[in-house]
Amino acid sequence: MNSELSVDHLLGIKYLTKGDIELIFKTADHFKEVINRPIKKVPSLRDITIANLFFENSTRTRLSFELAEKRLSADIINFSAASSSVNKGETLIDTVNNILSMKVDMVVMRHPNPGAGIFLSKHVKASIINAGDGAHEHPTQALLDSYSIREKLGEVKGKKVVIVGDILHSRVALSNIFALKLQGATVKVCGPKTLLPKHIESLGVTIEPNLIKALEWCDVANMLRVQNERMEINYFPSTREYVKQYGLTRKILDNLNKEIVIMHPGPINRGVEITSDVADSEHAIILDQVQNGVAVRMAVIYLLASKIKQ
Ligand code: NCD
């Protein structure tokens, strides 16, 4: 395992090594123990200032990052596009350089444009964490997903994972595919043909169009939300038909010949990709994912910050 990350920014899982992921998980194990203590805070990042820049809506990711930063005792400033000068025509670099001139060390950014974080990392002096760039990558989500599989099943290596739903518009899907493959899992994708990218198999995954077959095969099913906000046309006839073919119900789960682990990155559309009785069942680890998100983000921030100080 590495003693430090091989990267100065977390822009995507694509840029990480297997050793990086192992280091992040080992560090997250420590922080998970910390956040379960009566005093949930450590002074590690007392001298670090982090800007959370959210140019796109977010609830759990923004809160999770903010909590992770607070638990590490970092100073933080928050910015959301709706209330900013971006609406007055300011460029991304100008906006961020203005913020950095107030002595900010790290930027956590969510942005609707794929590659926004990569672009920024080349133009500003700060460590950048990608909190979701359009339909491209969402690296901390994939890390917390793999961390949750590791916690539940012992390891990720050798596990069979199916990612179900809107793969085409999902940054969670792409980052998960990179992360799972890197750790030696086998990955299938399942969803309407129109919601699968054309060359998805070149990423080393296979397509299983039938939900029941996919579930019979897998150890873990990661159920994704249909990203209606990223669609300009209709990709399937109606929500009712989507639910009929790709919605996971208690009946389907009970009829399987095995027990599987159910994951979801949130926000859940109850009754669409997953019914309430599945989301709230003993098979689902959705709230563990949320809890692990804080520990994993603490690990990422801590490891990147230790590179800044050198
Ligand atoms: C995901 C996202 O924003 O990409 N959610 C999240 O980060 N918790 C998935 C989604 O919006 O469906």
Side-chain angles (χ1 to χ4, degrees):
M1 196 187 350
N2 334 6
S3 58
E4 61 167 20
L5 290 179
S6 67
V7 289
D8 296 324
H9 310 274
L10 180 61
L11 301 172
I13 300 289
K14 197 164 60 191
Y15 306 104
L16 296 184
T17 64
K18 204 169 140 218
D20 287 330
I21 296 187
E22 284 164 7
L23 177 63
I24 292 168
F25 287 179
K26 212 184 119 216
T27 312
D29 285 342
H30 167 68
F31 286 130
K32 180 141 184 180
E33 190 256 313
V34 167
I35 56 183
N36 283 310
R37 286 182 198 160
I39 296 168
K40 302 174 178 54
K41 239 175 140 142
V42 283
S44 321
L45 259 63
R46 253 189 336 217
D47 50 349
I48 291 278
T49 305
I50 305 177
N52 298 311
L53 312 185
F54 280 74
F55 296 91
E56 198 186 68
N57 293 345
S58 170
T59 312
R60 79 207 64 219
T61 303
R62 190 171 51 79
L63 293 180
S64 178
F65 267 111
E66 208 174 311
L67 203 56
E69 292 153 5
K70 287 187 168 158
R71 300 269 192 254
L72 289 167
S73 307
D75 285 327
I76 61 176
I77 50 172
N78 290 316
F79 162 103
S80 84
S83 57
S84 78
S85 295
V86 173
N87 296 334
K88 298 180 187 167
E90 189 171 57
T91 66
L92 179 59
I93 295 180
D94 280 341
T95 304
V96 176
N97 270 331
N98 269 288
I99 294 165
L100 294 185
S101 65
M102 297 183 259
K103 302 264 176 279
V104 167
D105 307 288
M106 195 179 281
V107 171
V108 173
M109 184 170 77
R110 171 166 287 196
H111 199 280
N113 296 351
I118 301 168
F119 173 75
L120 203 60
S121 71
K122 291 185 180 145
H123 291 93
V124 302
K125 274 205 190 81
S127 183
I128 313 286
I129 299 180
N130 176 9
D133 58 336
H136 181 221
E137 278 228 41
H138 191 353
T140 55
Q141 180 69 44
L143 288 169
L144 76 89
D145 288 345
S146 281
Y147 185 84
S148 302
I149 294 174
R150 169 182 174 268
E151 184 180 69
K152 183 78 184 175
L153 300 177
E155 61 177 345
V156 174
K157 190 172 172 214
K159 297 294 173 294
K160 298 179 197 161
V161 182
V162 64
I163 306 175
V164 183
D166 182 0
I167 314 293
L168 183 66
H169 300 101
S170 174
R171 52 195 174 207
V172 176
L174 188 62
S175 287
N176 258 280
I177 290 171
F178 287 142
L180 292 166
K181 297 287 301 173
L182 195 57
Q183 295 167 91
T186 313
V187 185
K188 281 188 197 280
V189 291
C190 174
K193 227 182 186 160
T194 49
L195 289 178
L196 301 179
K198 268 202 190 98
H199 303 291
I200 186 82
E201 281 155 313
S202 66
L203 297 177
V205 305
T206 51
I207 298 172
E208 173 49 73
N210 183 292
L211 178 66
I212 310 293
K213 281 191 190 157
L215 297 175
E216 286 291 2
W217 168 84
C218 75
D219 301 308
V220 178
N222 196 350
M223 306 301 296
L224 301 182
R225 184 175 67 84
V226 174
Q227 310 257 313
N228 285 312
E229 72 278 18
R230 298 192 199 285
M231 297 182 187
E232 277 148 18
I233 55 166
N234 288 339
Y235 285 82
F236 46 86
S238 67
T239 302
R240 209 162 59 120
E241 268 166 272
Y242 181 87
V243 172
K244 229 168 126 189
Q245 282 197 58
Y246 297 103
L248 180 55
T249 63
R250 186 77 213 200
K251 194 166 157 226
I252 294 178
L253 212 52
D254 288 345
N255 284 335
L256 294 179
N257 291 318
K258 60 197 285 199
E259 286 216 347
I260 61 169
V261 177
I262 310 294
M263 300 176 72
H264 195 303
I268 301 173
N269 272 323
R270 287 177 183 260
V272 182
E273 64 272 8
I274 190 171
T275 52
S276 276
D277 49 5
V278 174
D280 302 330
S281 74
E282 67 286 7
H283 301 281
I285 57 164
I286 300 170
L287 293 177
D288 300 304
Q289 290 173 261
V290 177
Q291 204 196 94
N292 288 335
V294 178
V296 167
R297 290 183 172 112
M298 284 173 83
V300 168
I301 294 166
Y302 174 82
L303 291 167
L304 287 175
S306 57
K307 294 196 80 175
I308 297 173
K309 281 187 222 164
Q310 281 166 15

